Amino acid sequence: MATRAVLQTFERYQKERVAFVTAVAEMAKNPQNIEALQQAGAMALLRPLLLDNVPSIQQSAALALGRLANYSDDLAEAVVQNEILPQLVYSLSEQNRFYKQAAAFCLRAVARHSPELAQSVIDSGALDSLVTCLEEFDPGVKEASAWTLGYIAGHNAELAQQVVDAGAVPLLVLCVQEPELSLKRIAASALSDIAKHTPELAQAVVDAGAVQYLAPLVINQDAKLKRQVCCALSQIAKHSVDLAEVVVGAEIFPKILTCLKFPDEFVKKHSATVVREVAKHTPELAQLVVGNGGVGALVDYISDSTGNNRLPGIMALGYIAAFSETLALSVIAEKALPPLVSALNEEPEDHLKSATAWTLGQIGRHTPDHAKAVADTGCLATLVSLESDGASSEDLKTKCRRALKSVIAKLTHLPALDALVHRALPESVMKMVLEQVGKVLANDAAGRAQFVHSGGLAAVQQMAEAPGSKLKEAVEIINSCYPEEIVKYYSPSYSQQLLEKLESMAATTTAY
């Protein structure tokens, strides 16, 4: 009888512990409960339950602590201060698979907030245990471990290097080859977080054979996996020509271009980023993109996209066009200019306008034909407006100014230059326009008459006579293309001179 009473007491105690820890874990799901749980001292009560002799209680305690730590960096810091991490790390190597998942979740919840907290996770000895978990049979444990390692590595190069040094990369590459989709996604994401920081870290990912297993997954139909794979490939390719060539060597073209038509917006954006990171390095890589139909695919992409999703496509076109007039001509031929001008006019964000202005400058800077193609879109007036708009960011003003200089310096199409003469331009830009007009008029007899009829000659005379004008030298070059009588006729003071002459004649007649 006494034995039964003792056992009932312990059973009731166990049931209450289970009920308590399960209820706290459930309440911790709701952000509204977090502050109340913290004030009630939940963390101090959960800590000893990590060492409970009942596995389900240990698991629920780790889960509850993870949800608390996930909420804010202050609570994550409290987990560190309460010396909970060493217990979690110990449990990673000792407990069952369910508890390992919960413990890895808690470590991830702490590490995600800042590099300092991630370093605290490393200092607790978690790396070796997490890497060992990547060799577990259970895919859920691998997934939880890979996710935590990705969060640690994502903060900075130093933390990522520690993850590499712990031997995580080859095991993450093995995880990419596993059949479970969710494990593939998280492993690809972790490899991306490692590769993004430096060429050396990206090289470590390449040396583990990651690219040859990531590249075939580009054609997988799972949207989340495609996102992570494209992101990882772009993070590898961005660092150097050699790394970009490794990515290209895995035969991602033209398969990656089909992703630009995929329904998922993030897949499209990340695949455009891969194209950009490959194309930016050398003319040969840019030509490879062009030869595989990349320009047409990018043009369709930026035509169908809006906002930040457009950015990698716009920049990719700029990088391609920058290398040579032939590549720039292929961009023009694929009708890239209308959607670029549309982005310049419609996008509200300055950084998008900046990227578009830069790309237009790269397209138009090669020859008079390229410059004319850009000018014919009417975008020069928009660039002028943005450059002089007080609300524009300094970067946008700079990009617009440089694009104008690049295009105007090659522009020999007089009507386009004439249109700019009649606009209120900043003096530095107007000086470029007038200098270019002078060069064109010197070799274009028909253009000289056209410039007079349009009112351009009269307009430049007024500029020269404006107080403090720095345009006189440029105006004099234009004037040298015309007979002196025509220049005098269109000068603002000419009518005054005629009146004075008439008055002088009248005075002479009166004297007689």
Side-chain angles (χ1 to χ4, degrees), residues 47-334:
R47 182 174 179 266
L49 296 177
L50 290 171
L51 300 174
D52 200 279
N53 61 348
V54 179
S56 64
I57 293 175
Q58 294 178 337
Q59 181 188 338
S60 295
L63 195 60
L65 285 165
R67 286 172 180 166
L68 289 169
N70 200 46
Y71 179 72
S72 73
D73 51 356
D74 290 336
L75 286 168
E77 185 65 47
V79 169
V80 176
Q81 296 299 328
N82 279 288
E83 297 183 355
I84 290 168
L85 296 182
Q87 293 178 23
L88 292 168
V89 172
Y90 171 77
S91 303
L92 276 176
S93 56
E94 297 292 328
Q95 300 295 332
N96 65 46
R97 61 195 175 100
F98 299 109
Y99 185 54
K100 285 179 179 179
Q101 289 181 48
F105 165 67
C106 191
L107 291 170
R108 180 172 86 242
V110 173
R112 69 185 283 267
H113 291 289
S114 69
E116 293 74 24
L117 286 166
Q119 187 62 56
S120 297
V121 171
I122 292 175
D123 293 342
S124 70
L127 275 187
D128 289 339
S129 298
L130 288 167
V131 170
T132 302
C133 284
L134 290 176
E135 298 180 89
E136 286 275 336
F137 176 76
D138 182 69
V141 175
K142 291 180 184 176
E143 192 178 308
S145 177
W147 209 344
T148 306
L149 290 167
Y151 269 118
I152 293 170
H155 286 295
N156 58 43
E158 184 183 341
L159 291 169
Q161 187 62 58
Q162 292 182 70
V163 171
V164 172
D165 293 343
V169 175
L171 294 171
L172 287 170
V173 173
L174 286 173
C175 289
V176 170
Q177 300 168 61
E178 295 286 349
E180 292 82 12
L181 275 177
S182 58
L183 180 55
K184 284 178 184 286
R185 291 176 199 147
I186 290 165
S189 174
L191 289 168
S192 174
D193 285 329
I194 293 168
K196 72 183 182 182
H197 297 292
T198 65
E200 292 75 22
L201 287 165
Q203 189 64 54
V205 172
V206 168
D207 290 344
V211 174
Q212 71 186 80
Y213 295 108
L214 288 169
L217 296 175
V218 164
I219 59 173
N220 191 288
Q221 289 307 297
D222 181 72
K224 290 180 180 177
L225 179 58
K226 284 171 90 82
R227 288 180 201 172
Q228 300 303 340
V229 168
C230 290
C231 188
L233 292 172
S234 69
Q235 298 291 8
I236 293 168
K238 74 179 184 180
H239 292 290
S240 69
V241 179
D242 291 341
L243 289 167
E245 286 177 345
V246 169
V247 171
V248 170
E251 298 179 353
I252 62 163
F253 286 98
K255 292 181 287 189
I256 195 76
L257 301 176
T258 62
C259 296
L260 292 170
K261 292 285 188 184
F262 199 77
D264 185 86
E265 290 296 325
F266 290 103
V267 170
K268 290 195 280 192
K269 182 180 179 182
H270 291 323
S271 57
T273 305
V274 175
V275 178
R276 180 189 71 190
E277 300 301 349
V278 168
K280 74 180 185 180
H281 290 291
T282 65
E284 292 75 23
L285 287 170
Q287 183 60 57
L288 177 83
V289 173
V290 173
N292 279 281
V295 174
L298 288 168
V299 171
D300 290 342
Y301 169 66
I302 64 171
S303 300
D304 298 337
S305 303
T306 57
N308 275 325
N309 289 346
R310 266 178 165 172
L311 185 61
I314 289 169
M315 293 184 69
L317 291 172
Y319 282 125
I320 291 167
F323 284 116
S324 72
E325 60 184 76
T326 307
L327 289 169
L329 198 59
S330 69
V331 172
I332 295 170
E334 290 288 352

